[in-house]
Amino acid sequence: MRLIIIGTLNGQIGAATRIALQRGAKVAQVEDIDQALNTLRAGRGADLALIDVGLDVRRLVDSLKEERFNLPVVACGIGNDARAAVAAIRAGAKEYLPLPPEPDLIAAVLEAVAEDSHQMIFRDPAMGQVVRLAEQIAPSGASIMITGESGTGKEVMASYIHRKSPRAERPFVSVNCAAIPDTLLESELFGHEKGAFTGAVARRIGKFEEANGGTLLLDEISEMDIRLQAKLLRAIQERVIDRIGGAKPVKVDIRVIATSNRNLVEEVARGTFREDLLFRLNVVNLKLPPLRQRPDDIELLAVHFVKKYADANGVAERALSPATIDALRKAHWRGNVRELENTMHRAVLLALGPQIEVGDIRLPDGSALADAAGRPIAAAAMGEAGAMDAGTGGLVGRTVADVERDLIIDTLKHCLGNRTHAANILGISIRTLRNKLKQYTDEGLAVPAATEGSRATA
């Protein structure tokens, strides 16, 4: 856990730092927001920011978003000042921490951030086999390719490998290649010098340098433009990078883990992914099974998410009824663990009785889980040909373009407008999805609005 503390915290900085250090955090302290941004630009990354509520919290949050620094912000102030707390949350802070700092409270905040996306929860033998292989290869320095459907936990697995490796005490840095426009991704990875291009107002250390000594995760690498892949290949092979506008190469020592929800062999055949880069990255391949192929994990994960969101929302933790567990196990879970997590979050908020019943569980489109449970699995059991015959009856007489349009729009609705998630489920690139949606908009069709988290890719 890397923590950056911004401001004096009204003289409580020493106490907060000591508590964080005792809990195993690596702490950096700066006086103001400008110093914090310069620290991050210099490659000294952080996983959490604590900021004095007397500073401009909104400016920090907006600056982090503008410069693509992905870290949560917690505001701190003397006592339980409700007005200051509300203002900080409205400005974009995730939490408000009263001072003087309580050791248990700071520990809880740190643990919540550390736990957020790094827990490996499994019981099913199918997942256990993959985890054992991950543990076997973690001590090596080999590059790893993690594949699997969207939502199966590829980033969680990458973090798990890092924590089991000799680099565990060094940075783990993640870059979502699908969420960053091509024009910015090169700078994000390799950094730039001041004045290298319009808008480069200061030197910016890229993710390769930030991850030096540790692990760099290239999430959804199949979305990277093929022209940038050549520079990435050189960086991995030679262990040197060139900042944009830089005068000399910079040496780096990192382990690279990449993820993809696509078949990269097929992408190579299409000419959208370099074969030599695939060979370099795919020293070891870990294929994560979809949730429907690890049924013993469904109840375990559902119970975990119920507890997590009951605690987060301050509501009673309810048990899952036997009928609910049975329905959860029969559901198809196209979005895998991510979809299950969101579904259980809704159930926690909707449940009123002593248990979470089947009727409390709703899918993103508002339909009941019981209506959807088992149908895709039954179709799969018929065999590929049988499933095709059973599922195409309503398509005869329609054009391929019409079917494609309805599939894209329905999937986008299912993902609540999130372009990145929809593209992952559809198995197409975010660029292809954007082009299709522009075409539909030009044709006068209604397209679901982009969610806040997908505006960068909308």
Side-chain angles (χ1 to χ4, degrees), residues 72-88:
V73 173
V74 174
C76 306
I78 294 293
N80 293 299
D81 186 338
R83 184 174 297 177
V86 170

Side-chain angles (χ1 to χ4, degrees), residues 209-250:
E209 289 181 80
E210 184 181 335
N212 195 32
T215 303
L216 177 64
L217 170 63
L218 300 173
D219 198 19
E220 300 302 347
I221 193 171
S222 52
E223 302 303 321
M224 182 182 293
D225 187 89
I226 195 165
R227 291 167 295 183
L228 185 54
Q229 292 173 24
K231 188 169 182 177
L232 174 63
L233 177 63
R234 175 178 179 267
I236 296 173
Q237 287 185 159
E238 307 297 332
R239 294 184 177 271
V240 296
I241 59 103
D242 296 299
R243 295 193 200 115
I244 300 175
K248 60 180 181 179
V250 179

Side-chain angles (χ1 to χ4, degrees), residues 96-133:
Y96 177 82
L97 196 64
L99 299 174
E102 289 281 343
D104 290 343
L105 194 53
I106 286 188
V109 170
L110 296 177
E111 287 169 7
V113 174
E115 176 201 41
D116 187 39
S117 62
H118 301 140
Q119 277 194 296
M120 184 63 65
I121 299 172
F122 68 95
R123 181 166 57 199
D124 195 280
M127 192 63 182
Q129 184 176 356
V130 180
V131 172
R132 284 192 296 273
L133 178 57

Side-chain angles (χ1 to χ4, degrees), residues 229-230 233 237 268 273-282:
Q229 292 173 24
L233 177 63
Q237 287 185 159
V268 168
F273 201 83
R274 291 180 63 109
E275 186 175 40
D276 47 4
L277 179 58
L278 177 58
F279 290 152
R280 176 61 63 177
L281 292 171
N282 199 28

